[in-house]
Amino acid sequence: MSTAFTTRTLDITTGTTETVADLTADCAAFLRETAEGRDGLLNIFVPHATAGIAVLETGAGSDEDLLAALRDLLPADNRWHHRHGTPGHGRDHVLPALVPPHATLPVVAGHMALGTWQSVCLVDTNTSNTDRRVRLSFLG
């Protein structure tokens, strides 16, 4: 079996509020250009210490529920040892332990094998850094 590895970066602006940004269309477009109908793996990676990648339902409130749960688990207050930046910024550095900075998805016939309601999302609670880079890599 022949294998090919292709990688590309996306530049995402998340804004000044906590964000769940849907990357599913970007991932699908990348696969249309690179997978050429092959089976393989798609890796999505965010090389930032304060952001993560999640696979979840969007548009029905689950994205807001995720942000609310993260606010409950990781309050933006002065309890954090990591204290530079905005108040409570230390919690942003704990986020990747709960929402990892990567996801690997199966690709079948050039398409992500996601469930009906699943989307690939960038989760960013750091309101001080609005510019994010996401690396998409296909091996197939």
Side-chain angles (χ1 to χ4, degrees):
M1 175 178 138
S2 172
T3 60
F5 178 80
T6 307
T7 189
R8 176 174 303 150
T9 57
L10 303 173
D11 292 318
I12 307 292
T13 300
T14 55
T16 58
T17 60
E18 297 173 337
T19 302
V20 175
D22 192 335
L23 304 176
T24 309
D26 295 306
C27 293
F30 170 70
L31 290 174
R32 278 193 301 277
E33 296 172 22
T34 60
E36 299 173 340
R38 296 188 311 264
D39 293 353
L41 295 172
L42 172 65
N43 182 264
I44 305 100
F45 176 71
V46 57
H48 297 282
T50 59
I53 299 295
V55 177
L56 75 154
E57 178 181 10
T58 59
S62 297
D63 38 354
E64 286 300 321
D65 290 341
L66 173 60
L67 292 174
L70 290 171
R71 281 184 216 108
D72 288 345
L73 290 169
L74 305 171
D77 58 23
N78 65 359
R79 73 182 69 201
W80 308 102
H81 295 285
H82 186 106
R83 293 191 182 192
H84 76 81
T86 57
H89 176 64
R91 73 171 189 136
D92 299 326
H93 287 275
V94 176
L95 173 77
L98 301 175
V99 180
H102 59 87
T104 300
L105 304 174
V107 175
V108 178
H111 301 280
M112 290 176 286
L114 290 171
T116 301
W117 304 111
Q118 289 180 314
S119 297
V120 179
C121 298
L122 169 67
V123 179
D124 187 1
T125 59
N126 182 357
T127 60
S128 297
N129 186 355
T130 62
D131 298 316
R132 298 301 187 167
R133 177 159 283 175
V134 177
R135 178 166 299 280
L136 305 178
S137 301
F138 174 71
L139 176 65

